Amino acid sequence: MTKRLEEEPGNTELLLRRATLHRAHEDYAASKADLLAIGRDSPGHLEALRNLARLERENGQLADAAAALVRYFAHEGHAAEAFREKARLDTLLDLPESAAKAWQVYLEKAEQPTADEFVEAAKAIMATKDGAAAHRLVLRGLERYPSSIPLRQDVASLEIQLGRVPEAEQSFAALRERYPTLLPRLHYQEGTLWLEGGHPQKARGSFQLALQ
C-alpha cells in the first residue's frame, strides 16, 4: 500500500485504508499523519474527520478530538457513528447532558446498534440522574436483544436504584431461569448489584447461593 501511495500520493481511499491499518497496529502518529494528509487536500472529508476524532479520543487528546468533531459537523456531517463518537467524547469531558443527547441521536439513526451500546448509552443517561429514562432505554435494548445478560442485569440494577425492589427480584429470577447453567456466576453478579444498590442483606443471600 505504501508503494502504491508513492505512485498515487493523493489517493484518499488508500490513505484512509493505511490510516486504519496504522490504528489497528496502535501506531497513533502514523495513522494521524495519514488522516491529516487527507485533511490538507480535502478539509471537509467527513470520514477522515470522524476517524481523526476517534483516534484523538482513544489517545487522550480530547481537545483535538473535539476540534475534529466541530469541523465534521460544520461540514454537515450527520453519520450515526459521529454522534456515538460525540457521546463517548462528551462522557470523557464530563458533559453528561450532551453525552446523553448524543447517544439518543445515535440510537435513533443507527441501523443496528449493539446490545453493548444500549448499556453504554444507559450509563450515560444515568449520569444525568434520569434513572427512569435509562430504564426505558435498556428495556428498548432488551426488545432487540432478549438474550443479552448485561442488558437484563442493567434492567435489574436500574430497578434497584429506582426503588423498585420487587421488580428487580423478578428481573433477576427471569435471568436465572433463562440461564440455569450460569447460576453461580449470576448469583455473584446479582449480589454485587444488590450491594451497590444499598441492600447488603439481599447481597449476602446472593453471595451465599453463589458458593453452593
Side-chain angles (χ1 to χ4, degrees), residues 6 56 59 61 67 72 147 163:
E6 290 175 356
E56 299 284 26
N59 286 277
Q61 305 301 314
Y72 175 88
S147 63

Side-chain angles (χ1 to χ4, degrees), residues 1 9 39 50 60 63 70 79 86 94 100 109-110 126 143 200 202 212:
M1 190 177 300
R50 193 170 70 243
V70 167
K86 178 171 170 50
D94 196 22
K109 295 173 72 70
M126 271 302 296
E143 290 177 1
K202 289 186 177 296
Q212 292 180 2

Side-chain angles (χ1 to χ4, degrees), residues 10 18 25 35 41 43 45 52 55 60 62 70 75 90 98 113 115 126 131-132 142 144 152 165 169 182-183 194 199:
R18 190 171 72 174
H25 287 90
L35 294 172
D41 291 335
H45 194 288
L52 180 61
L55 185 71
L62 303 187
V70 167
H75 284 93
D90 286 343
S98 181
M126 271 302 296
L142 204 55
R144 282 179 177 249
R152 287 183 173 275
V165 172
E169 291 173 332
L182 301 177
L183 286 182
W194 281 123
H199 295 270

Side-chain angles (χ1 to χ4, degrees), residues 18-158:
R18 190 171 72 174
T20 300
L21 288 173
H22 284 316
R23 175 176 171 268
H25 287 90
E26 299 182 354
D27 191 340
Y28 164 72
S31 183
K32 181 175 180 177
D34 282 344
L35 294 172
L36 291 177
I38 296 171
R40 284 192 292 272
D41 291 335
S42 305
H45 194 288
L46 296 178
E47 187 175 357
L49 286 171
R50 193 170 70 243
N51 289 354
L52 180 61
R54 180 178 61 182
L55 185 71
E56 299 284 26
R57 173 183 59 80
E58 290 174 343
N59 286 277
Q61 305 301 314
L62 303 187
D64 291 338
L69 279 179
V70 167
R71 295 197 299 276
Y72 175 88
F73 289 116
H75 284 93
E76 299 185 358
H78 50 74
E81 293 78 9
F83 289 95
R84 180 183 60 196
E85 184 56 41
K86 178 171 170 50
R88 289 172 172 165
L89 178 61
D90 286 343
T91 295
L92 292 174
L93 292 170
D94 196 22
L95 300 171
E97 296 286 348
S98 181
K101 290 178 182 177
W103 271 120
Q104 288 167 345
V105 174
Y106 168 73
L107 292 173
E108 289 170 3
K109 295 173 72 70
E111 292 184 7
Q112 193 65 34
T114 67
D116 286 344
E117 286 169 347
F118 276 101
V119 171
E120 193 175 353
K123 289 179 180 177
I125 292 173
M126 271 302 296
T128 69
K129 312 299 182 186
D130 192 346
H135 186 249
R136 289 193 297 271
L137 181 64
V138 291
L139 288 177
R140 274 179 53 198
L142 204 55
E143 290 177 1
R144 282 179 177 249
Y145 301 101
S147 63
S148 170
I149 292 175
L151 274 171
R152 287 183 173 275
Q153 289 175 329
D154 254 22
V155 168
S157 175
L158 287 164

